[in-house]
Amino acid sequence: MIQLKKILLLFSIVLSFGIQAQNTYKNWPDIIRKSDAAWFGTEEAKKIAENVLLYQRDIGGWPKNIQMQNELTPSQKKDLLEIKKTTKETTTDNGATTQEMFYMSKMYAQVKDERYKESFLKGLNYLLEAQYANGGWPQFYPLKKGYYTHITYNDDSMVHILNVMKEVSEETDFYSIKPSKEIVSKTKTAFDKGIDCIIKTQYKQNGVLTAWCAQHDEVTFAPANARAFELASLSGYESAKIVLLLMSIDKPSREIVTAVKSAVEWFEKTKITNLEEKRVLNDAGKVIDKKMVSAVNAGPIWARFMDLETNEPFFCDRDGIKKKSIDQIGPERRNGYSWYTDAPKEVLKRFPDWAVKNGTKVSASEKKNVTLITVAQDGSGDFTKIQDAVYACPAFPYEKVTIYVKNGIYNEKVRIPEWNNNVILKGESKENTIITFEDNFSKIALGRNSTFYTSTLLVEGDDFSASNLTIKNASGDKGQAIALSVTGNRVKISNCNLLGNQDTLYLSGKNAKQYFKDCYIEGTTDFIFGGAAALFENCIIHSIKSSYITAASTPSGTPFGFVFKNCKLTANPEAKDVYLGRPWRIYAKTVFINCEMGKQIKPEGWENWSKPDAEKNAFYAEYNNSGEGFQPKKRVTWSHQLTKKEADKYSIENILKDTIANWYLD
């Protein structure tokens, strides 16, 4: 009876906070994660820390869902002191205990109050004591009857704990409080046991490893029920954070690698790309209805609950009866629970790099679910030629497909066709991953359009990106010879060397937007040419000899052509007379902003290519450039010097805006 009164007393304290709170903060987890380290040394932070200390039980844990920042009355403080010796409701659910430990660590980093250190260490000891011998953790400790004793992945509870163990055991600087060597050793053991538990609980479906459930039986490891509407199932949400934790382990075991690869394959298999969630809000912004509607190429999203044998999503009301769609359950559960998630997207995004690092290969026969293909000349990858890897890419994939190219000189012509969109071509290193070929106008000999057949790399597919590569046309000074030709839309090239002579880089495509960042581009005559809208940022533009840098053919009425921002224009010693550009077509647009121009740039800057109409229709402009080559008063009269207001229009958002927003930030 006494214990019941204490629990009711705790409940009344928590309830009163919602009525009496005057603090401007609304969410305790947001306060914990404040990025301003100095704030944790303020009086305001210290006042909150006193509340955190009061709520911590002597056993070391904290209750959940407490807004620690809310001001306490003297009576409430007294009541909390009286119940500190109790162990009821201490938990790791909903981030409890691990987030309070994080706050104590941030406080101690600013204020060396030994109570903060002691509080953190008590919390750490609580987590160590709460672990089962098999490596799992219950939702509540001391154990609370019911489903709370299950090994709990729900709401990332066990992942939060293992992240604490990982940081402490590896003695990183994540926490400001450094435990003794004895405690560090215990956390290492606890982490290893926890990972072993994760490996053992990964669910096998007809003998094939898949993912995890929100709860697993603490004895048998079998999937387990929780609340009436939380039946045993494979979880699209909780499994994501588990996999990210496994991927964070340095030098993972073969079992961990297998677990990650199996889970990724399951995520690919179970993703939903034909549904979107629509929410109906009231005037106060509260969700009053949710519905799933059909959509083309939506998502991807995953169901929170999937059948253990069929992977079919299901939904439950408080009666515990499975339903096939969200609209078959009542509004209370439909609107008050997260039935879908996009959390596995982060796993799929990181997996290609992780797989390369950890030696995971994608079979060429698994074309349907390919997300990573490795090219290596020594035979350690999936292919020895880049073009063979392109052939293995699925057509019009829903997810990005990464072709990772290990160091080597790849003497081949490569084409990324229109149906192979969403391709990432990533080299091991810019200096040592080289794609090269030596086609040129005379060698091709197909008539006046031979130039366009000379490219070493041709990109026709949309949503393409390349990085850490050297792309070279090795013909030398033998006329037109393209290194990189881009006709696709939303193409991003970063940290690449583009090497050639005449016509090194061709940029085209109807309404195409292309982005070059941190690249080195060299050539002779018109070595950046074409009609696309293209932004060059932080690039080195190098002239091999006296000639023309750009030859734009911007279509009439197009707002942007070639834009160079924060670039550096350099040259070989023999290149003494270099023009910024000339118009391949009379509506050419080229602008240089905040660029450093060497003395090789001719004072007049621009040339009309014997096209008087170009002087009336082309738009050549500069703003705030520097260096010996920037001589605005000597530029041709038909060019422009922008005002700051005019230059501000040349933002990355304006130049590259597209129906797919912010693609250039990927």
Side-chain angles (χ1 to χ4, degrees):
M1 188 68 180
I2 294 174
Q3 287 182 334
L4 178 60
K5 287 182 178 179
K6 288 180 178 178
I7 294 171
L8 291 173
L9 174 61
L10 171 62
F11 178 76
S12 66
I13 292 172
V14 174
L15 183 63
S16 69
F17 289 166
I19 301 172
Q20 299 179 18
Q22 299 298 319
N23 199 293
T24 56
Y25 295 104
K26 295 182 179 180
N27 194 333
W28 167 233
D30 290 341
I31 297 173
I32 297 168
R33 292 163 179 79
K34 283 173 69 73
S35 59
D36 181 7
W39 179 85
F40 290 88
T42 65
E43 292 304 314
E44 182 180 20
K46 293 177 187 177
K47 189 174 182 180
I48 295 173
E50 295 302 318
N51 290 355
V52 178
L53 291 170
L54 276 172
Y55 272 106
Q56 187 177 25
R57 304 293 188 265
D58 288 346
I59 194 175
W62 280 266
K64 67 177 179 178
N65 300 336
I66 306 295
Q67 297 299 323
M68 298 286 178
Q69 74 278 15
N70 289 347
E71 189 170 351
L72 294 169
T73 66
S75 175
Q76 289 169 336
K77 292 178 181 179
K78 180 181 177 182
D79 293 338
L80 283 170
L81 284 170
E82 290 180 359
I83 62 174
K84 279 182 74 67
K85 293 182 179 180
T86 68
T87 59
K88 295 289 184 180
E89 305 305 314
T90 49
T91 181
T92 56
D93 191 28
N94 289 0
T97 299
T98 55
Q99 61 187 6
E100 283 77 33
M101 290 172 62
F102 190 29
Y103 188 82
M104 289 290 98
S105 169
K106 287 195 167 187
M107 290 299 302
Y108 191 72
Q110 302 298 318
V111 182
K112 299 304 181 200
D113 188 325
E114 290 301 306
R115 295 179 304 154
Y116 303 157
K117 179 178 180 180
E118 181 185 357
S119 173
F120 177 90
L121 294 175
K122 283 173 65 177
L124 184 58
N125 186 65
Y126 169 81
L127 297 179
L128 290 168
E129 288 190 2
Q131 188 177 29
Y132 286 131
N134 61 22
W137 271 270
Q139 189 176 126
F140 283 81
Y141 182 78
L143 296 179
K144 183 179 177 180
K145 290 182 179 180
Y147 67 85
Y148 307 104
T149 61
H150 294 325
I151 294 169
T152 303
Y153 298 126
N154 189 54
D155 292 328
D156 305 322
S157 176
M158 189 161 145
V159 170
H160 290 322
I161 297 170
L162 285 171
N163 278 325
V164 173
M165 298 300 164
K166 188 174 188 293
E167 297 292 346
V168 174
S169 66
E170 293 177 356
E171 299 183 274
T172 71
D173 292 328
F174 186 81
Y175 293 113
S176 66
I177 298 160
K178 307 302 177 187
S180 66
K181 292 295 182 182
E182 180 184 1
I183 297 298
V184 168
S185 178
K186 287 183 178 181
T187 59
K188 178 66 168 66
T189 300
F191 181 79
D192 291 343
K193 287 171 60 179
I195 296 301
D196 184 59
C197 178
I198 285 175
I199 298 300
K200 289 177 178 177
T201 51
Q202 189 172 16
Y203 185 73
K204 276 190 175 181
Q205 188 181 83
N206 300 319
V208 177
L209 286 172
T210 57
W212 291 263
C213 308
Q215 294 85 209
H216 288 257
D217 186 274
E218 64 272 25
V219 177
T220 67
F221 290 154
N225 295 337
R227 290 176 288 186
F229 55 90
E230 295 173 324
L231 302 181
S233 61
L234 289 168
S235 169
Y237 174 77
E238 278 79 11
S239 297
K241 288 293 179 63
I242 292 172
V243 177
L244 289 173
L245 173 65
L246 295 178
M247 291 170 70
S248 74
I249 297 172
D250 190 35
K251 298 179 181 178
S253 66
R254 184 174 62 181
E255 290 77 15
I256 292 173
V257 171
T258 299
V260 171
K261 188 171 186 292
S262 300
V264 166
E265 290 172 353
W266 183 81
F267 285 140
E268 289 282 7
K269 183 178 181 179
T270 58
K271 65 187 177 185
I272 300 167
T273 58
N274 62 352
L275 289 177
E276 288 181 341
E277 182 184 273
K278 298 296 183 184
R279 297 186 175 192
V280 180
L281 308 179
N282 62 16
D283 293 340
K286 182 180 179 181
V287 177
I288 58 174
D289 196 18
K290 289 181 186 176
K291 60 180 68 175
M292 303 304 294
V293 298
S294 297
V296 178
N297 293 342
I301 56 174
W302 287 260
R304 184 89 178 255
F305 297 87
M306 286 180 252
D307 187 89
L308 292 166
E309 302 309 319
T310 67
N311 297 321
E312 184 178 359
F314 69 82
F315 312 87
C316 281
D317 237 321
R318 293 189 183 274
D319 57 8
I321 300 173
K322 287 184 180 182
K323 302 293 173 59
K324 290 189 175 182
S325 65
I326 194 173
D327 60 353
Q328 292 178 324
I329 61 176
E332 186 266 336
R333 282 296 80 201
R334 182 171 69 247
N335 304 327
Y337 200 79
S338 297
W339 295 102
Y340 290 92
T341 179
D342 66 354
K345 286 175 62 177
E346 187 64 22
V347 174
L348 299 183
K349 178 181 177 181
R350 297 186 189 185
F351 177 70
D353 286 342
W354 180 90
V356 169
K357 180 180 178 182
N358 294 288
T360 299
K361 293 171 63 175
V362 176
S363 170
S365 64
E366 297 174 356
K367 293 182 182 180
K368 188 174 181 180
N369 293 319
V370 166
T371 57
L372 170 71
I373 302 172
T374 301
V375 180
Q377 291 181 327
D378 62 5
S380 62
D382 303 296
F383 299 98
T384 58
K385 290 185 176 295
I386 298 168
Q387 190 63 57
D388 288 341
V390 176
Y391 292 148
C393 290
F396 305 110
Y398 292 118
E399 298 294 326
K400 295 282 188 182
V401 179
T402 297
I403 299 174
Y404 180 80
V405 187
K406 291 189 176 181
N407 285 340
I409 299 175
Y410 297 84
N411 194 343
E412 57 177 308
K413 285 175 76 76
V414 178
R415 178 193 177 203
I416 312 291
E418 178 263 345
W419 52 86
N420 288 133
N421 63 326
N422 276 323
V423 168
I424 298 171
L425 187 62
K426 180 179 292 187
E428 185 175 356
S429 70
K430 176 176 64 175
E431 295 77 16
N432 299 310
T433 309
I434 302 168
I435 309 172
T436 181
F437 209 72
E438 53 177 324
D439 271 347
N440 56 67
F441 188 97
S442 298
K443 183 178 178 181
I444 292 292
L446 290 175
R448 64 187 301 167
N449 293 315
S450 295
T451 300
F452 306 105
Y453 296 93
T454 64
S455 58
T456 298
L457 172 61
L458 169 61
V459 179
E460 297 170 324
D462 293 344
D463 301 295
F464 171 88
S465 66
S467 60
N468 307 336
L469 295 165
T470 290
I471 303 164
K472 180 178 181 180
N473 191 309
S475 293
D477 197 4
K478 295 181 180 179
Q480 299 96 318
I482 299 172
L484 173 62
S485 177
V486 181
T487 62
N489 189 24
R490 296 183 299 275
V491 170
K492 180 178 180 180
I493 311 295
S494 58
N495 194 40
C496 287
N497 294 325
L498 308 179
L499 309 181
N501 277 261
Q502 184 173 350
D503 294 353
T504 303
L505 176 60
Y506 175 56
L507 304 175
S508 187
K510 187 176 181 181
N511 299 318
K513 309 289 195 310
Q514 294 149 10
Y515 182 37
F516 293 78
K517 185 177 182 183
D518 303 324
C519 290
Y520 173 87
I521 308 168
E522 73 170 24
T524 57
T525 302
D526 307 330
F527 64 94
I528 301 174
F529 73 115
L535 173 62
F536 299 81
E537 280 196 318
N538 304 316
C539 294
I540 295 175
I541 311 299
H542 186 79
S543 297
I544 294 176
K545 66 179 184 180
S546 297
S547 196
Y548 308 88
I549 294 175
T550 68
S553 57
T554 317
S556 175
T558 304
F560 300 102
F562 296 160
V563 180
F564 298 82
K565 297 183 73 174
N566 303 307
C567 292
K568 187 173 183 179
L569 278 54
T570 60
N572 284 356
E574 59 269 28
K576 301 181 184 299
D577 297 297
V578 175
Y579 287 93
L580 295 172
R582 61 177 180 171
W584 184 17
R585 295 293 182 266
I586 64 172
Y587 295 99
K589 288 187 176 180
T590 304
V591 177
F592 288 84
I593 297 175
N594 298 328
C595 293
E596 181 182 338
M597 299 181 172
K599 62 183 180 180
Q600 75 277 6
I601 302 301
K602 290 178 70 66
E604 55 267 42
W606 312 92
E607 209 266 352
N608 72 2
W609 208 338
S610 301
K611 299 172 183 174
D613 285 347
E615 297 187 11
K616 302 174 185 177
N617 296 293
F619 186 81
Y620 288 148
E622 300 170 79
Y623 174 75
N624 197 39
N625 294 319
S626 61
E628 293 181 67
F630 181 50
Q631 300 187 51
K633 293 181 179 179
K634 295 183 180 180
R635 293 295 193 244
V636 294
T637 57
W638 46 278
S639 67
H640 305 270
Q641 295 298 319
L642 302 175
T643 64
K644 184 180 185 306
K645 184 177 180 180
E646 290 171 331
D648 288 343
K649 295 178 182 179
Y650 288 82
S651 65
I652 187 171
E653 295 82 6
N654 286 341
I655 298 166
L656 300 178
K657 64 183 177 182
D658 194 270
T659 52
I660 298 180
N662 299 335
W663 58 269
Y664 42 84
L665 299 178
D666 291 341

